[in-house]
Amino acid sequence: MSTTPRLFLVLAASLLTIALLTTHTSLAAFIQTYQATGNLQVEVAGAANLVPPAMGTVTLTGIPSGTIKRAYFYATQTNNTLGLSLTFNGAPLGTAGPYASEALLITLSTYRWDVTSSIIPGVASYGFSVLDGMGIPVAVAGVGLVVVWEDVSEPLRTVTIVDGVKQVGESGAETESMTFTGLPSGNTTVWIFTTDDDSSTGETVSYNAVNIGGPLIGNLGLNASVLQMTGTSVLGSNTLSISTVTDHLTWVLGVTAIGQSPVPAEESTWGKIKSLYR
């Protein structure tokens, strides 16, 4: 084979690898990736302080039942250009490029895998291991898991997932926000998942400008947090915000679940029916 065709094949293979690693990548953005209404329940769980090898178990406090509608597994990395590979619940899920990245003081990236088919009704705990794109053990600040399931025993809820990456506090005190659209009004359960948060205090979480939680001090263990809080949604767009004073952290995920009252069926009488045709 001549040098020119061989060089072409090498370049083509390199471009294909880059394309595979960068599929579905968004830059410095939050994306509303899931919304559904039904007899739904949702939970966010995670694990932290994953020194090489980055492995462990994520356990949901609730036990999924019925039908698994959607599940995502997240990990974050700093200045990683090789991608991350995931084994989840014993199944290798391959190497992924950054799902979202933000390059400010440093480059922080979120990696996401769809693990819907790996979540088993009746099972709450899932083992995982994370390697870099070359199959080498790597430190991971934290991992998160969001699971949505449908069961007739659950009340009617609207569940919405927004994910991606935002650096909060990269240059000092600041507030970052994400927006949820198409929400009904009502009492709302709110979850967030963050990494790289340390023991610094002063962080607050607000929903529609009302303080609902904080601080973010690694409640999963050093360097990652999952908080479950309560807020109130208005019809349409709603804003979830994190404010920091001194901590520089990575915001990955926000989830809302809004309970809805079923619309009562109107009782019809023969007289009402006849009146419609008069």
Side-chain angles (χ1 to χ4, degrees), residues 12 43 55 66 105 109 121 129 136 147 168 198 206 213 226 263 268 278:
E43 187 176 338
M55 60 189 301
L105 183 65
S109 299
S129 63
I136 299 172
V147 181
V168 187
D198 58 25
S206 299
V226 168
V263 178
S268 295
R278 291 173 178 168

Side-chain angles (χ1 to χ4, degrees), residues 109 116 135 170 180 194 197 202 205 217:
S109 299
T116 305
E170 70 278 357
F180 294 79
T194 61
D197 48 67
V205 182
I217 50 175

Side-chain angles (χ1 to χ4, degrees), residues 105-123:
L105 183 65
I106 54 178
T107 299
L108 295 176
S109 299
T110 290
Y111 295 79
R112 191 186 82 168
W113 294 263
D114 189 326
V115 295
T116 305
S117 62
S118 299
I119 302 299
I120 304 169
V123 176

Side-chain angles (χ1 to χ4, degrees), residues 46-50 74-76 139-144 193-196 220 222-224:
N49 194 26
L50 304 171
Y74 302 88
T76 63
V140 174
V143 298
F193 167 56
T194 61
T195 65
D196 304 304
L220 292 175
L222 183 64
N223 288 333

Side-chain angles (χ1 to χ4, degrees), residues 42-59:
V42 60
E43 187 176 338
V44 180
N49 194 26
L50 304 171
V51 297
M55 60 189 301
T57 301
V58 174
T59 300

